[in-house]
């Protein structure tokens, strides 16, 4: 996240001697992107963060494209039977070279630590609340939050109640849209959200403890288990531009117009090879002849995923809360019969949805296919 943040105790200068009151050294760790050439933070530990005690098993993970046909899809993620923590309950649904889209139904806390070494993660909290605790501090989350966890952060997710979470793992960094930032990185006046809406971690007291600390690290081959000597949350301070953060979908202020506004006005994040948009409650278009429902559109260069979070989605028929639709590239799609005309004259929508447009075709896992609505491709036929 491109704004400077400082938490806890740090030395006056980088890379200099920094001791506690007893004269014991703290240990600096640089976490940086693109080698040493992009954003970074410096963390200060009680102990060296490199003290691996045991290299454990590599848990192989492979995603397989199971679709036999190119077509629109509708899955109701309510039907997914998963439980456990955020890793064990995670069910991958769609993927390509740039991202993995999963659902997790979480009912227990993590008893170990996790670091995604190859992807940034966006957690969209569909229901429930809890805490993300990391080496940068604690972030409390609740429904409607986007929790952004850049790769390299060590974290645990502890739910207070049952959590349902939409997860996007991104091979590139998750960023606010270029079009909403000035050349200094500040969010512009016409951005639908600004820095005040962003929550940063609250640094906790550094944990001074030795033991067997299991950290699972996601790599290109799978999840590698490591045991570390020291508790990973032994950080007394950090500063920089790199940290986990939260913005609520409820803080996304919609852009409306006299005529239908296209999806880019809903853009919330940019990734490498995809964008994320938030459809939030808003007044409809105010031209006297406006048709609020979207016009049929042919997404030539992108696959479109929509996760329906809450409310009555104005252009879709037969869609439930927590449904996901996939409208693949190469085909036109739009409102189902009746939805186009019935939207005329409506003044407001209470829909809440997350859209992910990917610029490479998505592959479909057997998890998604097992709950696929086979009739959805025919839902545009007049009844
Ligand atoms: Fe669309």
């Amino acid at each position: 996240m491109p704004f400077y943040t400082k938490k806890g105790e740090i030395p006056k200068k980088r890379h200099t001697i920094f001791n506690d009151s007893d004269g014991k050294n703290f240990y600096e760790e640089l976490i940086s992107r693109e080698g040493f050439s992009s954003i970074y933070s410096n963390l200060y530990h009680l102990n060296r963060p490199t003290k691996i005690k045991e290299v454990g098993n590599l848990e192989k993970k492979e995603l397989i494209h199971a679709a036999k046909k190119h077509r629109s899809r509708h899955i109701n993620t309510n039907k997914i039977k998963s439980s456990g923590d955020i890793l064990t309950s995670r069910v991958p649904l769609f993927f390509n070279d740039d991202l993995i889209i999963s659902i997790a139904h979480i009912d227990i806390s993590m008893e170990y630590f996790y670091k995604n070494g190859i992807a940034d993660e966006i957690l969209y909290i569909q229901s429930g609340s809890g805490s993300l605790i990391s080496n940068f501090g604690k972030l409390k989350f609740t429904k409607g939050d986007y929790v952004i966890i850049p790769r390299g952060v060590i974290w645990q997710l502890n739910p207070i109640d049952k959590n349902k979470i939409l997860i996007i793992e991104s091979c590139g960094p998750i960023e606010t849209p270029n079009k909403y930032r000035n050349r200094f990185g500040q969010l512009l006046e016409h951005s639908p959200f600004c820095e005040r809406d962003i929550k940063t971690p609250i640094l906790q007291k550094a944990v001074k403890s030795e033991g067997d600390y299991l950290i699972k690290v996601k790599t290109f081959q799978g999840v590698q288990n490591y045991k570390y000597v020291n508790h990973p949350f032994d950080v007394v301070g950090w500063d920089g531009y790199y940290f986990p953060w939260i913005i609520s979908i409820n803080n996304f202020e919609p852009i409306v117009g006299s005529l239908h506004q296209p999806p880019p006005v809903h853009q919330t994040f940019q990734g490498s090879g995809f964008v994320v948009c938030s459809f939030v409650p808003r007044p409809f278009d105010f031209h006297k002849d406006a048709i609020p429902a979207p016009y049929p559109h042919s997404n030539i260069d992108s696959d479109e995923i929509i996760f329906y979070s809450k409310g009555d989605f104005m252009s879709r028929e037969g869609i439930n809360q927590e449904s996901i639709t996939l409208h693949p590239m190469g085909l036109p799609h739009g409102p189902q019969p009746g939805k186009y005309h019935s939207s005329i004259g409506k003044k407001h929508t209470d829909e809440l949805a997350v859209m992910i447009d990917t610029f490479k075709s998505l592959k479909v896992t057997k998890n998604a296919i097992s709950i696929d609505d086979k009739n959805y491709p025919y839902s545009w036929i007049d009844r």
Side-chain angles (χ1 to χ4, degrees):
M1 186 63 212
F3 60 78
Y4 177 76
T5 299
K6 184 177 106 174
K7 307 275 175 163
E9 299 298 316
I10 59 172
K12 282 185 181 167
K13 297 287 258 181
R14 293 177 290 179
H15 326 317
T16 58
I17 295 168
F18 181 32
N19 293 333
D20 67 12
S21 54
D22 297 329
K24 185 177 179 298
N25 274 355
F26 294 123
Y27 294 90
E28 188 179 61
E29 178 191 10
L30 171 76
I31 300 183
S32 61
R33 295 301 280 265
E34 299 177 24
F36 297 86
S37 304
S38 187
I39 60 173
Y40 62 90
S41 284
N42 286 298
L43 292 80
Y44 295 87
H45 295 267
L46 297 176
N47 298 287
R48 282 178 285 120
T50 46
K51 289 166 82 171
I52 292 173
K53 194 173 187 177
E54 184 184 319
V55 179
N57 295 336
L58 175 69
E59 302 164 20
K60 296 249 182 193
K61 304 270 183 197
E62 191 181 4
L63 294 174
I64 296 170
H65 181 41
K68 298 280 193 288
K69 291 187 178 178
H70 179 88
R71 62 169 174 80
S72 297
R73 295 177 187 275
H74 166 216
I75 62 171
N76 182 349
T77 65
N78 258 318
K79 293 181 179 170
I80 293 173
K81 300 273 183 283
S82 77
S83 62
D85 64 38
I86 191 164
L87 285 198
T88 55
S89 71
R90 187 177 296 209
V91 178
L93 300 170
F94 306 97
F95 65 101
N96 65 20
D97 291 343
D98 298 318
L99 83 173
I100 304 170
I101 299 167
S102 308
I103 285 284
H105 294 169
I106 300 161
D107 53 9
I108 58 172
S109 297
M110 291 163 72
E111 292 184 347
Y112 51 89
F113 304 90
Y114 178 61
K115 172 163 68 174
N116 196 326
I118 56 169
D120 290 28
E121 302 201 7
I122 301 178
L123 315 181
Y124 174 73
I125 312 299
Q126 167 62 16
S127 61
S129 55
S131 297
L132 179 94
I133 305 171
S134 77
N135 46 346
F136 289 80
K138 184 174 184 178
L139 280 162
K140 289 184 180 175
F141 62 80
T142 190
K143 70 176 178 181
D145 282 345
Y146 290 109
V147 184
I148 315 299
I149 313 171
R151 75 196 60 187
V153 174
I154 302 172
W155 54 274
Q156 286 181 319
L157 188 131
N158 299 326
I160 290 172
D161 44 12
K162 287 193 175 181
N163 293 170
K164 289 184 172 179
I165 302 183
L166 171 73
I167 304 168
I168 305 165
E169 289 176 72
S170 167
C171 287
I174 302 296
E175 299 170 339
T176 52
N178 285 342
K179 64 183 179 181
Y180 290 136
R181 279 189 265 118
N182 63 24
R183 66 193 170 91
F184 301 97
Q186 185 180 18
L187 290 162
L188 286 160
E189 275 286 296
H190 64 279
S191 171
F193 57 92
C194 76
E195 285 81 359
R196 292 185 197 183
D197 300 319
I198 290 169
K199 285 204 293 189
T200 62
I202 307 292
L203 189 63
Q204 311 289 289
K205 189 173 187 307
V207 181
K208 187 177 185 178
S209 178
E210 283 195 7
D212 291 317
Y213 294 102
L214 174 62
I215 303 183
K216 291 177 176 278
V217 181
K218 185 161 185 184
T219 69
F220 286 112
Q221 285 74 40
V223 174
Q224 174 69 54
N225 291 286
Y226 291 99
K227 277 191 185 153
Y228 277 77
V229 174
N230 298 111
H231 197 290
F233 301 161
D234 69 341
V235 173
V236 297
W238 61 267
D239 77 330
Y241 281 52
Y242 198 69
F243 47 86
W245 52 284
I246 286 178
I247 183 164
S248 171
I249 197 169
N250 301 311
N251 276 324
F252 186 92
E253 305 302 337
I255 294 169
V256 297
S258 65
L259 296 175
H260 186 85
Q261 297 293 296
V265 302
H266 306 284
Q267 191 183 346
T268 313
F269 306 109
Q270 63 187 28
S272 174
F274 70 96
V275 295
V276 177
C277 299
S278 303
F279 291 89
V280 300
R282 62 193 183 279
F284 269 145
D285 325 324
F286 46 84
H287 188 283
K288 68 180 177 55
D289 294 326
I291 302 174
Y295 29 81
H297 47 284
S298 240
N299 32 320
I300 304 290
D301 294 320
S302 64
D303 275 12
E304 177 201 275
I305 290 279
I306 298 183
F307 176 77
Y308 303 85
S309 180
K310 192 179 155 197
D312 177 23
F313 206 75
M314 52 128 163
S315 62
R316 295 269 96 80
E317 188 74 36
I319 298 297
N320 308 298
Q321 190 168 300
E322 297 168 29
S323 283
I324 289 178
T325 54
L326 164 63
H327 300 131
M329 58 180 73
L331 303 174
H333 68 275
Q336 267 86 12
K339 286 287 187 180
Y340 195 62
H341 292 101
S342 69
S343 75
I344 295 171
K346 290 199 172 160
K347 301 292 183 208
H348 189 269
T349 175
D350 65 350
E351 68 189 16
L352 193 66
V354 176
M355 184 173 85
I356 308 158
D357 268 5
T358 68
F359 307 135
K360 290 181 192 144
S361 188
L362 283 164
K363 295 165 182 167
V364 187
T365 69
K366 68 176 191 315
N367 303 316
I369 287 174
S370 67
I371 51 171
D372 189 25
D373 172 5
K374 306 283 184 297
N375 293 318
Y376 185 67
Y378 312 113
S379 62
W380 288 274
I381 293 283
D382 290 319
R383 306 273 165 213

